[in-house]
Amino acid sequence: MSVVRTRFAPSPTGFLHIGGARTALFSWLHARKHGGPFVLRIEDTDRERSTQASVNAILEGMTWLGLDYDEGPFYQTERFDRYREVIQSLLEQGKAYRCYCTREELEALREEQMRLGIKPRYDGRYRDHDGPPREGVEPVIRFRNPLDGNVVFDDQIRGRIAISNTELDDLIIARSDGTPTYNFTVVVDDIDMNISHVIRGDDHINNTPRQINIFRALGHEPPVFGHVPMILGDDGKRLSKRHGAMSVMDYHDLGFLPEAVLNYLVRLGWSYGDQEVFSVDEMIEKFDISDVNKAASTFNTEKLLWLNHQYIMTGDPQHVARYLSPHMGRAGIDPSDGPTLTDLVVGLRERARTLVEMAEKSRCFYQEFDQYDEKAASKNFKPEAKPVLESLHTALSAVSPWSGETLHQAVQDTAEALDLKLGKVAQPLRVAAVGGPISPSIDVTLELLGRERTLARIQRAIHWIEQRQASASDS
Ligand code: GLU
């Protein structure tokens, strides 16, 4: 069996976006599934639009997602000598030729073709030129495309595709300044890097027949292709900045776990029965490039949130805590001043769909709140709540060890002793503890808050009730 080698070949003109990440993932999975290497190639021949910052952003995105590569990154700009050498040999074999058409001539040709209602294309006028070089014109180099026959390939996603060579004109493979063009460098690289499977976005599908002809001219059979359909926003239009977060790292910033994003991406256009949650090992085992949908898929943020929540709830709390940590910093919370992040994750994981949400919900466990939620305070801090809070203070002072179970018991005992329903005791306690009516269960809340903070906050609430009473009797 021949060895599988795949590659991801981004152009470094921006961040790693969701579509690129999915292409990389499919390519990576295909390599991992077959035990072959995954190559990273940076297609940076467009020097004006390529930046080092973008290379870094792409590497950062891949690292965050865990898409590790075995070879590379190879930079096309470091391979110009090689491209020159291949162009030279094509020229010598008559498989490429110099074209001296000026821009004006090409423009005139185009206008004429439009006028006649035919598809604009280069007419091959220098194909058989054997006179001297044309004075004053730096030539481009064109590939001598076959004039007849069809290019046929079996795309692993799209099925059989056949294009007549009469549809393809003689492609420029080197510009007049000598720099090679995309369709040519891709082929040289895919040959030199021994790529067996090219998995890429279907925006390249029209390039493929041209590339196949170049492969053959260079004496190689083309690799197997799989063109991945595009991703649409929830309005049915091609996913773009208008739809909000586009970069993989935006999802990091929004509080997603990488495994949730990876899981979301693998399901975008691929399925395995009705299974939704896949560990990376399961993806590798079950993924098959030929099961990827032909049709475009629609991005669904709700589903991504759902998956993220699944991973937050079921993930190892220590692992989740590690990813939560930067979000605490961003929220201005010092995690050393309260419960451990692992305890926090266990306490809040049912209630937070993102790590940003979790950090926000954790604030009251690390910092004092400014004031009580007004409605909750007037409802729960009536004069009769004062003795309840006092009894709770006494009971909770004696609790040992400070654990969910013992705390639950203490609150329950207090309610029984005062002959009150549990809610009449727990709700004032909750408002005292976190400042508002919403928090995890009271035992979890108090456990996270710790003894010292809990008792101080009960005191604060008692004090608030006393002041309220005093000002009421003054007026
Ligand atoms: N550099 C191309 C892009 O970023 C990909 C080319 C390929 O995968 O063949 O769209």
Side-chain angles (χ1 to χ4, degrees):
M1 204 180 77
S2 63
V3 179
V4 168
R5 290 173 60 91
T6 71
R7 50 46 161 208
F8 177 49
S11 303
T13 55
F15 40 68
L16 177 62
H17 58 80
I18 283 293
R22 184 185 56 159
T23 303
L25 171 62
F26 285 178
S27 206
W28 181 85
L29 286 172
H30 191 67
R32 291 289 170 264
K33 184 179 183 75
H34 297 279
F38 174 61
V39 178
L40 177 62
R41 179 168 82 223
I42 306 292
E43 302 207 321
D44 56 350
T45 52
D46 183 346
R47 285 185 151 140
E48 265 166 36
R49 293 178 59 226
S50 303
T51 63
Q52 187 57 43
S54 163
V55 172
N56 296 345
I58 291 167
L59 296 179
E60 186 188 24
M62 290 181 70
T63 305
W64 183 64
L65 289 175
L67 300 177
D68 52 340
Y69 42 90
D70 307 288
E71 292 175 31
F74 298 111
Y75 292 82
Q76 287 192 322
T77 44
E78 289 173 8
R79 291 176 42 78
F80 277 169
D81 288 348
R82 172 68 182 143
Y83 304 137
R84 217 169 285 130
E85 178 185 297
V86 178
I87 286 172
Q88 193 51 41
S89 97
L90 285 175
L91 282 170
E92 283 162 14
Q93 296 172 64
K95 292 175 174 172
Y97 62 91
R98 293 186 174 81
C99 168
Y100 293 92
C101 265
T102 63
R103 197 176 295 251
E104 293 72 29
E105 285 164 350
L106 285 174
E107 189 49 38
L109 173 66
R110 216 179 75 91
E111 272 168 26
E112 176 66 4
Q113 287 168 330
M114 302 268 274
R115 201 177 58 77
L116 296 172
I118 52 178
K119 199 169 136 197
R121 64 208 296 275
Y122 174 65
D123 62 359
R125 62 179 68 174
Y126 278 92
R127 224 177 132 96
D128 298 313
H129 176 80
D130 59 0
R134 187 170 161 185
E135 284 288 313
V137 181
E138 274 306 324
V140 298
I141 295 170
R142 289 188 185 265
F143 173 66
R144 192 185 295 274
N145 199 76
L147 293 175
D148 44 29
N150 290 327
V151 185
V152 182
F153 65 102
D154 289 308
D155 190 281
Q156 287 198 293
I157 298 169
R158 304 276 290 252
R160 174 155 293 201
I161 295 180
I163 297 282
S164 163
N165 272 317
T166 57
E167 295 284 316
L168 308 173
D169 57 5
D170 287 350
L171 185 81
I172 296 176
I173 57 175
R175 303 179 187 91
S176 52
D177 65 2
T179 56
T181 59
Y182 159 72
N183 277 301
F184 173 72
T185 54
V186 162
V187 174
V188 175
D189 289 353
D190 284 339
I191 291 173
D192 287 356
M193 295 168 196
N194 251 315
I195 301 302
S196 65
H197 291 74
V198 168
I199 294 166
R200 63 183 169 197
D202 70 357
D203 47 334
H204 286 290
I205 204 156
N206 291 333
N207 291 321
T208 305
R210 296 174 176 285
Q211 293 178 11
I212 290 175
N213 284 333
I214 301 177
F215 271 103
R216 297 209 165 116
L218 292 173
H220 286 266
E221 266 314 290
V224 179
F225 292 93
H227 288 91
V228 181
M230 63 179 158
I231 303 175
L232 307 175
D234 40 21
D235 56 357
K237 304 226 168 79
R238 191 187 187 109
L239 195 66
S240 74
K241 284 195 190 113
R242 267 179 311 115
H243 296 100
M246 274 289 288
S247 148
V248 164
M249 292 314 282
D250 286 346
Y251 289 91
H252 166 273
D253 295 349
L254 290 166
F256 288 87
L257 287 166
E259 53 270 32
V261 174
L262 219 49
N263 194 148
Y264 181 72
L265 288 177
V266 82
R267 283 283 292 105
L268 208 50
W270 174 78
S271 56
Y272 188 84
D274 53 10
Q275 187 172 343
E276 288 294 353
V277 180
F278 294 85
S279 68
V280 171
D281 286 344
E282 271 177 308
M283 285 181 204
I284 293 172
E285 186 196 322
K286 294 175 173 167
F287 181 76
D288 189 330
I289 187 71
S290 57
D291 292 337
V292 171
N293 282 342
K294 283 194 192 53
S297 356
T298 303
F299 197 85
N300 178 339
T301 308
E302 267 310 305
K303 189 166 164 199
L304 174 56
L305 279 165
W306 177 82
L307 267 173
N308 201 47
H309 195 201
Q310 299 304 306
Y311 279 96
I312 287 178
M313 284 193 295
T314 59
D316 170 14
Q318 250 174 334
H319 167 83
V320 179
R322 198 156 58 78
Y323 284 95
L324 172 64
S325 173
H327 297 290
M328 299 295 279
R330 283 180 194 206
I333 299 169
D334 174 1
S336 67
D337 197 14
T340 68
L341 290 188
T342 311
D343 287 346
L344 186 71
V345 168
V346 174
L348 297 185
R349 62 188 169 186
E350 301 287 330
R351 301 168 167 260
R353 294 201 295 174
T354 71
L355 300 173
V356 167
E357 216 179 303
M358 188 178 279
E360 220 27 80
K361 289 199 157 120
S362 79
R363 191 177 295 281
C364 63
F365 301 114
Y366 299 88
Q367 295 170 353
E368 285 309 308
F369 48 86
D370 290 341
Q371 52 195 17
Y372 295 108
D373 173 280
E374 217 169 295
K375 230 168 108 193
S378 40
K379 185 161 170 224
N380 292 286
F381 291 169
K382 298 216 168 82
E384 60 269 26
K386 191 182 149 194
V388 175
L389 289 168
E390 284 167 344
S391 306
L392 281 166
H393 191 276
T394 311
L396 294 173
S397 306
V399 161
S400 176
W402 190 264
S403 74
E405 242 165 76
T406 52
L407 289 162
H408 184 80
Q409 196 58 50
V411 176
Q412 206 162 17
D413 290 350
T414 308
E416 270 166 33
L418 297 173
D419 201 18
L420 288 171
K421 281 201 186 125
L422 189 63
K424 286 275 173 212
V425 176
Q427 200 56 6
L429 177 56
R430 171 173 282 121
V431 180
V434 302
I438 298 162
S439 79
S441 71
I442 197 70
D443 36 334
V444 170
T445 304
L446 299 186
E447 191 180 2
L448 286 177
L449 208 51
R451 183 193 306 272
E452 210 179 309
R453 270 206 171 96
T454 301
L455 296 178
R457 287 190 186 174
I458 294 174
Q459 283 296 1
R460 178 179 167 184
I462 293 172
H463 188 64
W464 189 92
I465 297 172
E466 285 168 352
Q467 281 200 317
R468 180 56 73 98
Q469 270 180 314
S471 59
S473 56
D474 281 355
S475 56

